[in-house]
């Protein structure tokens, strides 16, 4: 398993990973139409239509993008920017094998090099125990939020502060 910086060329594989993982672990409470709205462009991640591929390319790249790769296959992705962990997905077959931890540790290490001393994340409810195990703390109650055109999603705002080294 290797963590590396993600590139534009990874976007189709990242899109497929996000589509499957998001739908399976985070959207099962919603009906199929709302799931598609919450998925936004990712609902077409398995399409070869150039317009769909372009739409995925419009949402995947991020100032800080990391992928976990197992024998050339992308099995995890973290998208972030300064002070913000925007999204994190690990394929179901790879859960509880330390992949999420490795991605977050790499993001935190590179964030600290930029002088960042805190990171916030709007965690899915599914991921709250994971982030707690990584040292993130709840900052408010659960919030209802939107994702693309969908509105039926709950998130838990969380934050981690780094101690001075
Ligand atoms: C949340 C997620 C990224 C975690 O990835 P992962 O690779 O399975 O996590 P790790 O194996 O690195 O877990 C590290 C620790 O976090 C905790 N943890 C992880 N998943 C957990 C779960 N489902 N329930 C309870 N604790 C969990 C455990 O303490 C774990 O250590 P352990 O396995 O030694 O007990 C993954 O479950 C996922 O992709 N979920 C669906 C998408 C999602 O909700 N993403 C968050 C968006 S903000």
């Amino acid at each position: 398993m290797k963590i590396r910086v993600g590139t534009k060329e990874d976007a189709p594989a990242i899109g497929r990973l996000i589509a499957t993982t998001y739908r399976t672990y985070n959207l099962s409470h919603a009906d199929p139409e709302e799931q598609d709205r919450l998925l936004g462009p990712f609902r077409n991640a398995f399409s070869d239509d150039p317009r769909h591929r372009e739409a995925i390319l419009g949402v995947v790249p991020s100032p800080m993008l990391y992928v976990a790769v197992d024998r050339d296959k992308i099995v995890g992705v973290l998208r972030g920017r300064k002070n913000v962990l925007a999204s994190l997905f690990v394929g179901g077959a790879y859960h509880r094998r330390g992949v999420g931890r490795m991605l977050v540790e790499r993001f935190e290490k590179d964030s600290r090099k930029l002088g960042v001393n805190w990171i916030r994340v709007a965690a899915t409810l599914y991921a709250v125990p994971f982030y707690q195990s990584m040292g993130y703390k709840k900052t408010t109650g659960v919030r209802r939020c939107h994702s693309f055109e969908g509105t039926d999603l709950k998130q838990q705002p969380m934050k981690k502060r780094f101690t001075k080294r």
Side-chain angles (χ1 to χ4, degrees), residues 82-84 108 110-120 136 159-165:
K82 206 173 174 201
N83 292 115
V84 180
E108 290 178 351
D110 288 359
S111 295
R112 293 187 76 157
K113 282 189 200 153
L114 297 173
V116 161
N117 53 22
W118 56 267
I119 289 172
R120 70 178 160 85
Y136 288 72
K159 196 175 212 176
K160 178 169 179 174
R161 287 180 193 284
F162 300 119
T163 46
K164 291 216 166 59
R165 281 180 291 194

Side-chain angles (χ1 to χ4, degrees), residues 21 25-26 86-91 94-102 121-124 126-127 129-131 133-134:
T21 314
Y25 294 95
N26 307 120
S87 67
L88 170 67
F89 294 94
V90 173
Y94 288 82
H95 283 185
R96 301 304 286 263
R97 287 166 59 174
V99 179
R101 175 178 292 277
M102 282 193 279
V121 59
T124 61
Y126 185 87
F130 166 76
Y131 286 115
S133 85
M134 297 294 302

Side-chain angles (χ1 to χ4, degrees), residues 19-84:
T20 306
T21 314
Y22 197 25
R23 200 188 281 278
T24 306
Y25 294 95
N26 307 120
L27 307 183
S28 56
H29 64 281
D31 63 42
E33 290 78 24
E34 177 65 0
Q35 285 190 10
D36 279 352
R37 287 192 288 272
L38 290 161
L39 279 160
F42 292 110
R43 65 179 169 261
N44 299 314
F46 290 87
S47 160
D48 288 329
D49 184 322
R51 286 165 303 178
H52 291 155
R53 294 181 79 97
E54 197 60 33
I56 297 283
L57 197 54
V59 288
V60 166
S62 193
M64 296 170 85
L65 178 68
Y66 303 96
V67 290
V69 182
D70 182 31
R71 280 168 278 167
D72 290 338
K73 183 177 178 222
I74 292 179
V75 299
V77 59
L78 186 154
R79 298 175 54 261
R81 56 185 189 274
K82 206 173 174 201
N83 292 115
V84 180

